[in-house]
Amino acid sequence: MSSMKPLHEVFHNWQEKLDQDEWYFGHFFEEITTSMTSEEAFQYIPVVIQEVMKLRNGFLIGEMVDFLHAVYEVANTTEIHPILIQEKENIEGVIRKFGDEYSQQAFREFKKSLRWN
């Protein structure tokens, strides 16, 4: 777990990297989750939430919501992380204010997968 790339590094020169590899985000995120246990993934959820809260770009918010969903799949639980409960309104505020149609849809899908309103 300690050898893991810091999540915020995904945003360094992301436009350039995306031009070179259209699956840049997927590959970066996969590198993070590939060796995670379900418990590690669950503990990682607040890290992802923290990054979502900093974003002001609709496209990046959508990518990060998708990643949150992927981390939850690795965690293999429908238990809603306490930090997610605590930050739900803030996340929805960020998505409402800065998100695009895709990120809004992605968050709806994510909540539906957890059976969470």
Side-chain angles (χ1 to χ4, degrees):
M1 193 80 171
S2 55
S3 63
M4 208 166 62
K5 280 185 187 175
L7 181 56
H8 62 86
E9 282 184 9
V10 75
F11 303 120
H12 295 181
N13 304 321
W14 66 270
Q15 284 157 308
E16 209 175 290
K17 291 171 182 167
L18 198 59
D19 285 343
Q20 292 160 9
D21 173 12
E22 64 176 311
W23 303 109
Y24 165 66
F25 284 99
H27 293 149
F28 191 101
F29 294 151
E30 204 172 289
E31 244 178 87
I32 290 176
T33 57
T34 197
S35 61
M36 274 184 182
T37 64
S38 56
E39 192 179 323
E40 285 169 338
F42 193 74
Q43 290 168 358
Y44 193 72
I45 289 164
V47 177
V48 183
I49 292 169
Q50 202 180 356
E51 289 303 320
V52 171
M53 308 292 281
K54 295 179 198 163
L55 294 173
R56 300 293 177 262
N57 171 305
F59 173 74
L60 295 179
I61 292 169
E63 290 294 324
M64 204 46 82
V65 169
D66 281 347
F67 181 51
L68 181 61
H69 202 153
V71 170
Y72 245 98
E73 283 175 7
V74 176
N76 194 21
T77 182
T78 54
E79 181 190 338
I80 298 163
H81 197 289
I83 302 292
L84 189 56
I85 294 168
Q86 191 184 309
E87 297 294 350
K88 178 178 186 247
E89 284 179 26
N90 294 328
I91 295 168
E92 289 178 334
V94 166
I95 292 172
R96 209 172 19 258
K97 195 166 179 185
F98 304 104
D100 53 14
E101 191 56 47
Y102 180 80
S103 55
Q104 291 169 8
Q105 179 61 34
F107 197 65
R108 280 194 298 270
E109 292 293 317
F110 169 65
K111 288 192 300 185
K112 195 188 292 177
S113 74
L114 294 176
R115 298 180 189 84
W116 184 45
N117 304 328

